[in-house]
Amino acid sequence: MIRTELVKTLRRPRTWVTILLLNALPTLVAVLLALTDLGPRPGSGPAFLSAVLADGTLFPLAALAIILPLFLPVAVAVVAGDSVAGEAQQGTLRYLLVRPVSRTRLLVAKLVAVIAFVLLAVVVVAAVAYVVGSVLLGDQALAASVSGTVLTPAQVAVRTLLAIGYITLSMLGVAAIALLLSTMTDSPLAAALGALAFLIASSLLLTLDAAQTLQPYLPTRYWLAFVDLFRDPIFWRDIVRGIGLQAVYVVVFLGAAWANFTTKDITS
Amino acid sequence: MKGWQRWLVVALGVLLLGSIPPVLAALPATESDVTASELLASVRSSDEVAFTGYAETVGGLVLPVTQDFTDLVDLFGERSRLRAWWAGPDDWRVDELTATGETGVFHRSGASVLWNYEDSSATLAADPVVRLPRAADLLPSALGQRLLSEAGAEEVSRLPAERIAGRDALGLRLVPSDERTTIDRVDVWVDPSTGVPLKVEVYGADATVAAVRSRFLEFTPGAPDPEATWFVTPPGVDLSFTEVIDVAEAANQFAPAVTPDELAGLARRSGLVSIGSLGQYGRGVTLLTAAAVWDDLSRPLRDQLEGTPGAVIDENGVYVSAGPIGLLLTPGSRERSSWLIAGTVDAATLAAAAAEVRQIPVPDR
Amino acid sequence: MEHAVEVEAVGRTFPISGGKQLQALEDVSFVVGLGEVVGLLGVNGAGKTTLTKILATLLLPSSGAARVMGYDVVADTRGVRTSMSVILGGDRGLYNRISGRENLAFFGMLAGVSRRDLRERIPLMLDQVNLADAADRRVETYSKGMRQRLHVAIGLLSRPQVLLLDEPTVGLDPLEADRLRETIHQLRREGTSILLTSHLLLDVERLADRVVMLDQGRVTADLPLRKFAGLAGYAAVVTLTYRGALDLARSLPAGAAVDRHTHEGELSTLVLKLREWSGDLFGALGRLVDDVQIQDIDVRPARLEEAFATLSARRP
Ligand SMILES: Nc1ncnc2c1ncn2[C@@H]1O[C@H](COP(=O)(O)OP(=O)(O)O)[C@@H](O)[C@H]1O
Ligand SMILES: [Mg+2]
C-alpha cells in the first residue's frame, strides 16, 4: 500500500511541477542577490539571506527559509488535501476501498506519501539552491554560525541535513490537518483551503499577544526553529518541542481522520 | 469498533495529550521555611554562581522614544529569548535569540564583544561607566540580584514557592519603603540551592500586568564550557573597536554640564560615576538619572515626547510616563542644551529634580 | 457454506434534509448460490446500488446482516474484499493519467496479486476484454466502453469468487453492451457467482439464472428467470392499424390477448400482447391479418416497466 502510494506520488506530473515551482522563487532571489549584491535589512528578510552574500553554500538554508512560511505549506496542503478527496472526486476511492487493504492503512500510506513528497521537495530545493548558491554567490572555506562561532563545511553539511529533516517533520501537522479535511469532503480544493485557513489563523495568532496561552499549541509555532540548528551550541529546546508538537498534531488529526474515515459511507 | 467508539478513543487521546502541560505546570513546588531575610542574603551572595540557562523576558512598557533608543524600546516592549553561559561576573556570554538571527555579548575581564549575526559585525568595547540597559541585564539572575541588592530586610517578605525551570523556587517579595518610587513591588523566585533568582516580576503602582517579567525556562548550575564564553572572530568578519557603545555613554562623555551631588533629595550613587556629567541618584529601586544633552539629541526626542498621548507640558518641560518609568525633558534651544531626567520616581520628584537642574548654569554653544 | 451471497433482512436509511430518514432498503433478504447468476432488477432509485455497495463494504447496513462467501460485510471486511470484486457502473474510477496496463497493475497490486501472477495475467485480461491494442495508451484517451471494459478487467484480475456488477451496460452503445454481456457470460461458464444489477430486462434475460426484484427498497419477487418472464404476462406488444373487419373472436391465436381495440372512422387500431416471442405465434398473427388492409404494424419487446406494472398490480 505504502509502496503503491509512493509510486503514485512519484509518477504524478503534479509532484514535479510543484517541486519546480518551489525552486523558482529561491532561484530568482539568488539571481537578484548575485546581480545587485543587496541583502535584506537586518531582521526584515528571511533567515540566512544576508549571510549568503558572504557564503553561497549557505544558500540552501536561505532557500528553505524562503519557501517555509508560505510556498511549502501551500504545496503540502494541496497535496495532502487531494490525497483522499481527489480519489473521491476521480471516483477511484471506492475502488481502492473494496480492496483487501484497511482504511487505516490507506490513511497512513497517504500521510507517508505526503511526507515523502515534502522530503523530496525540500531535498531538491536544497540541492538546487546549493548549486545555484555556489555558482552565483561563491563559497568560502568556513562559515560563521548564527552565534558568531566558526563552522566547518562538514558541520554546515550535517546541520543542513538536520534542517531538511526538521522542516520535513514540521509539515506533518499541516499534512495531518489537510488529510482529515480530505476525508470529510469530496473536494480537494476545499480540503486544501481549509488547511490553509488553519495555517493563516495560526500565523496570525502567533503575532497576537492576547493569544499567548494558545501559542505553544499552534502548528506554525516552532517552524523557524531550524535556525536554532545553526546556533552554537545547537539550541535544541524549540526543535524538540517542534517535533513533539508535530507528533501531537499527527496523533490528533490522523486519529480524527481515522475515526471519521474508517466507518464512513463512501457515496461518491 | 463502532463509529462513536473511535471518536471516543480520539477524544480521550486529545484530552490526555492536552492535559500534559497543565498537569506538569500544576506540579506542586516544595516549600521551605527559609525566612525572607535569609533568602535575600542568599540572593546577594549568588553573583559568583556559575550556570547555563535559557530565559525569556517580557516587557510591558511602551517607551515613547525611538531613534537612538530602539534597542531599549524592544527590550522593554517585547519578548526576548536569552541564552546564558555564566562562569562568573567577569566571564559570561548572553545571546539574545531572534527568529532570523542573534545578538550576543561575550564578556571577559572588563570588556565585551558584541556580536550581531544579521549585520555580520563584531565589536569590542571596554565596559563603559554608564550605558543603557541591554538584554543581558534582564536575565532573571542579573535583574533579580540588581533589584534586591539594596533592599532592606524590612522591605522583603516570603511568597509561596513555584516550580520554575523544573526547580522548586522560593518566592520573595520586595515592597520598597521609599514613598517616591513608582515601583509597587518586585517579586523574585529564588533557586534555594544556589540563591540565583530564577524568575523576576516588576510591578508599577496600580498595575495588574508586570512592567517587566523575566524567567528561566532552563537552568543548570555548574560551570559552562569555557569555550562557550570565548569569542573567536569568524572568517569574513572584522572585529571593530568602539569607544562609545550607546547614547547614554555618549551623553556621559560629551555632556555640556556636570550634575550635582544631590537631586530632589536623592543622593548621588557612588561607585558608578565619580565625576560624571551623567548623574545617577537614589537607592534600591528608587532611581533617578539626569544628564544635560545637546540640542541635536534633545530636539527629536522632544518632538516625540510632546506627541505622546498623556504627555504633560509645563514650565519644567515635557513629562511622559511609561509604566513605572518617568521621563522629563526640560526646555532648550539650538543654543542651549536641555536636561533629560528619567527614573522610577513619581512625577513630583521628577519635577523637583527638573527645577533644581535648571538652576545649573549650562554653557551656550 | 452453500451460498456465495447471503442477505438477511438488510435495511438502510439515509438522513435527508429536515432531519428525516429515507428508507433506501427495507428488510431485504435473498441469496446468491455458488456459481449462480442472480439479476437484481429494479427501476432507478429502487435501492440496487445501495445494496451492491453494502455487499462491497462501501456502505454499512443500518439493520440486518449480509455475508459474502461466508464473511460478514461489517465484521470481516477483509475476507469479503478478498473474495469479491465489484464493478460499479459508469466510466469514472480509473487513473486517467496512466495507461490501462498500469491501472491493471496498480489495482492488482492492491488486491494482493503477486508480481509474477500480475505479469502473467495482465495480458490475458487485456485480451479477454479486447483492450490489448490500447493497453499502453493513457486511459484519458479511452472511449466509455473501453473504460468500462477496463473496469471489468480490473475486477476479474484478482480472480474473485463473487462478482458484483452494478448496471454494467449503462451508457454503452448496443455493440459495446453486447460485448460486455459476452464477457460476463463467459465468467458464468467458469463458475463465478454473480450478482448483476440492472434496470434493463435484456441484461437479466440474457445472463441471469434467477431474478430478484427490488421496488422502493423492498424485494417484490425472487424467481427463476423463466417464471419471472411469465410473470410479466407477455413478451411483446403488437400494435396494428388497419382498414376492414377482423373477426377476433374466431381467429385470435392462442398466446395472444387483446389489450385495446379502437375504431376511428375507417381506421381501426388493435393492440395485442403476446405471451411469448415465437415464430409460431407470429405466423398465426400473419394469418389473422390476411383479410384486412394493413396500414401500419409495430412489434416491440415488453419493457421492464410493463413487467413492473404487472407485478405492482398484483402486490397486495
Ligand atoms: N448517499 C445518499 N444519501 C441520500 N439518499 C441516497 C443516497 N444514496 C442513495 N440514496 C437514495 O436511496 C434510494 C436508492 O438509491 P440507489 O440505491 O442508488 O437506487 P438504484 O441504484 O436502484 O437506482 C434513492 O431514493 C436514492 O435517492
Ligand atoms: Mg444505481
PDB file of all heavy atoms in Angstrom, chain B residues 299-311:
ATOM      1  N   ARG B 299      16.249  67.569  20.465  1.00  0.00           N
ATOM      2  CA  ARG B 299      15.154  68.074  19.633  1.00  0.00           C
ATOM      3  C   ARG B 299      14.227  66.965  19.115  1.00  0.00           C
ATOM      4  O   ARG B 299      13.019  67.026  19.356  1.00  0.00           O
ATOM      5  CB  ARG B 299      15.702  68.923  18.491  1.00  0.00           C
ATOM      6  CG  ARG B 299      14.634  69.766  17.805  1.00  0.00           C
ATOM      7  CD  ARG B 299      15.259  70.949  17.054  1.00  0.00           C
ATOM      8  NE  ARG B 299      16.660  70.752  16.745  1.00  0.00           N
ATOM      9  CZ  ARG B 299      17.098  70.163  15.621  1.00  0.00           C
ATOM     10  NH1 ARG B 299      16.238  69.722  14.734  1.00  0.00           N
ATOM     11  NH2 ARG B 299      18.385  70.028  15.410  1.00  0.00           N
ATOM     12  N   PRO B 300      14.784  65.942  18.458  1.00  0.00           N
ATOM     13  CA  PRO B 300      13.872  64.871  18.008  1.00  0.00           C
ATOM     14  C   PRO B 300      13.168  64.190  19.177  1.00  0.00           C
ATOM     15  O   PRO B 300      12.000  63.807  19.072  1.00  0.00           O
ATOM     16  CB  PRO B 300      14.792  63.897  17.273  1.00  0.00           C
ATOM     17  CG  PRO B 300      16.182  64.275  17.638  1.00  0.00           C
ATOM     18  CD  PRO B 300      16.162  65.706  18.057  1.00  0.00           C
ATOM     19  N   LEU B 301      13.887  64.081  20.296  1.00  0.00           N
ATOM     20  CA  LEU B 301      13.288  63.430  21.456  1.00  0.00           C
ATOM     21  C   LEU B 301      12.120  64.266  21.976  1.00  0.00           C
ATOM     22  O   LEU B 301      11.056  63.738  22.308  1.00  0.00           O
ATOM     23  CB  LEU B 301      14.362  63.269  22.529  1.00  0.00           C
ATOM     24  CG  LEU B 301      13.976  62.453  23.762  1.00  0.00           C
ATOM     25  CD1 LEU B 301      13.581  61.042  23.363  1.00  0.00           C
ATOM     26  CD2 LEU B 301      15.124  62.414  24.759  1.00  0.00           C
ATOM     27  N   ARG B 302      12.295  65.586  21.978  1.00  0.00           N
ATOM     28  CA  ARG B 302      11.230  66.454  22.475  1.00  0.00           C
ATOM     29  C   ARG B 302       9.997  66.345  21.576  1.00  0.00           C
ATOM     30  O   ARG B 302       8.876  66.234  22.065  1.00  0.00           O
ATOM     31  CB  ARG B 302      11.708  67.911  22.548  1.00  0.00           C
ATOM     32  CG  ARG B 302      10.621  68.858  23.073  1.00  0.00           C
ATOM     33  CD  ARG B 302      11.109  70.262  23.290  1.00  0.00           C
ATOM     34  NE  ARG B 302      12.135  70.337  24.326  1.00  0.00           N
ATOM     35  CZ  ARG B 302      13.427  70.540  24.094  1.00  0.00           C
ATOM     36  NH1 ARG B 302      13.849  70.701  22.846  1.00  0.00           N
ATOM     37  NH2 ARG B 302      14.283  70.583  25.079  1.00  0.00           N
ATOM     38  N   ASP B 303      10.246  66.377  20.256  1.00  0.00           N
ATOM     39  CA  ASP B 303       9.119  66.240  19.321  1.00  0.00           C
ATOM     40  C   ASP B 303       8.327  64.979  19.627  1.00  0.00           C
ATOM     41  O   ASP B 303       7.102  64.971  19.656  1.00  0.00           O
ATOM     42  CB  ASP B 303       9.629  66.164  17.873  1.00  0.00           C
ATOM     43  CG  ASP B 303      10.174  67.507  17.417  1.00  0.00           C
ATOM     44  OD1 ASP B 303       9.892  68.509  18.108  1.00  0.00           O
ATOM     45  OD2 ASP B 303      10.878  67.540  16.379  1.00  0.00           O
ATOM     46  N   GLN B 304       9.069  63.910  19.848  1.00  0.00           N
ATOM     47  CA  GLN B 304       8.420  62.636  20.068  1.00  0.00           C
ATOM     48  C   GLN B 304       7.654  62.601  21.383  1.00  0.00           C
ATOM     49  O   GLN B 304       6.516  62.154  21.453  1.00  0.00           O
ATOM     50  CB  GLN B 304       9.477  61.550  20.066  1.00  0.00           C
ATOM     51  CG  GLN B 304       8.890  60.209  19.758  1.00  0.00           C
ATOM     52  CD  GLN B 304       9.989  59.255  19.396  1.00  0.00           C
ATOM     53  OE1 GLN B 304      11.161  59.504  19.674  1.00  0.00           O
ATOM     54  NE2 GLN B 304       9.616  58.166  18.779  1.00  0.00           N
ATOM     55  N   LEU B 305       8.281  63.113  22.433  1.00  0.00           N
ATOM     56  CA  LEU B 305       7.629  63.100  23.739  1.00  0.00           C
ATOM     57  C   LEU B 305       6.376  63.959  23.720  1.00  0.00           C
ATOM     58  O   LEU B 305       5.342  63.596  24.277  1.00  0.00           O
ATOM     59  CB  LEU B 305       8.585  63.601  24.822  1.00  0.00           C
ATOM     60  CG  LEU B 305       9.789  62.693  25.108  1.00  0.00           C
ATOM     61  CD1 LEU B 305      10.659  63.291  26.205  1.00  0.00           C
ATOM     62  CD2 LEU B 305       9.344  61.294  25.502  1.00  0.00           C
ATOM     63  N   GLU B 306       6.462  65.121  23.062  1.00  0.00           N
ATOM     64  CA  GLU B 306       5.306  66.016  23.041  1.00  0.00           C
ATOM     65  C   GLU B 306       4.144  65.397  22.276  1.00  0.00           C
ATOM     66  O   GLU B 306       2.989  65.690  22.538  1.00  0.00           O
ATOM     67  CB  GLU B 306       5.699  67.377  22.442  1.00  0.00           C
ATOM     68  CG  GLU B 306       6.521  68.197  23.423  1.00  0.00           C
ATOM     69  CD  GLU B 306       6.996  69.517  22.826  1.00  0.00           C
ATOM     70  OE1 GLU B 306       6.863  69.686  21.596  1.00  0.00           O
ATOM     71  OE2 GLU B 306       7.499  70.357  23.594  1.00  0.00           O
ATOM     72  N   GLY B 307       4.464  64.528  21.323  1.00  0.00           N
ATOM     73  CA  GLY B 307       3.397  63.874  20.546  1.00  0.00           C
ATOM     74  C   GLY B 307       2.849  62.628  21.230  1.00  0.00           C
ATOM     75  O   GLY B 307       1.945  61.989  20.711  1.00  0.00           O
ATOM     76  N   THR B 308       3.398  62.265  22.383  1.00  0.00           N
ATOM     77  CA  THR B 308       2.930  61.048  23.052  1.00  0.00           C
ATOM     78  C   THR B 308       1.629  61.320  23.798  1.00  0.00           C
ATOM     79  O   THR B 308       1.527  62.319  24.515  1.00  0.00           O
ATOM     80  CB  THR B 308       3.990  60.574  24.062  1.00  0.00           C
ATOM     81  OG1 THR B 308       5.220  60.420  23.387  1.00  0.00           O
ATOM     82  CG2 THR B 308       3.580  59.246  24.697  1.00  0.00           C
ATOM     83  N   PRO B 309       0.618  60.452  23.627  1.00  0.00           N
ATOM     84  CA  PRO B 309      -0.633  60.654  24.363  1.00  0.00           C
ATOM     85  C   PRO B 309      -0.350  60.675  25.868  1.00  0.00           C
ATOM     86  O   PRO B 309       0.435  59.859  26.366  1.00  0.00           O
ATOM     87  CB  PRO B 309      -1.469  59.433  23.996  1.00  0.00           C
ATOM     88  CG  PRO B 309      -0.869  58.907  22.730  1.00  0.00           C
ATOM     89  CD  PRO B 309       0.573  59.272  22.756  1.00  0.00           C
ATOM     90  N   GLY B 310      -0.963  61.588  26.574  1.00  0.00           N
ATOM     91  CA  GLY B 310      -0.765  61.650  28.013  1.00  0.00           C
ATOM     92  C   GLY B 310       0.427  62.491  28.428  1.00  0.00           C
ATOM     93  O   GLY B 310       0.713  62.610  29.621  1.00  0.00           O
ATOM     94  N   ALA B 311       1.117  63.078  27.449  1.00  0.00           N
ATOM     95  CA  ALA B 311       2.287  63.895  27.785  1.00  0.00           C
ATOM     96  C   ALA B 311       1.833  65.158  28.518  1.00  0.00           C
ATOM     97  O   ALA B 311       0.807  65.750  28.177  1.00  0.00           O
ATOM     98  CB  ALA B 311       3.032  64.266  26.510  1.00  0.00           C
TER      99      ALA B 311
END
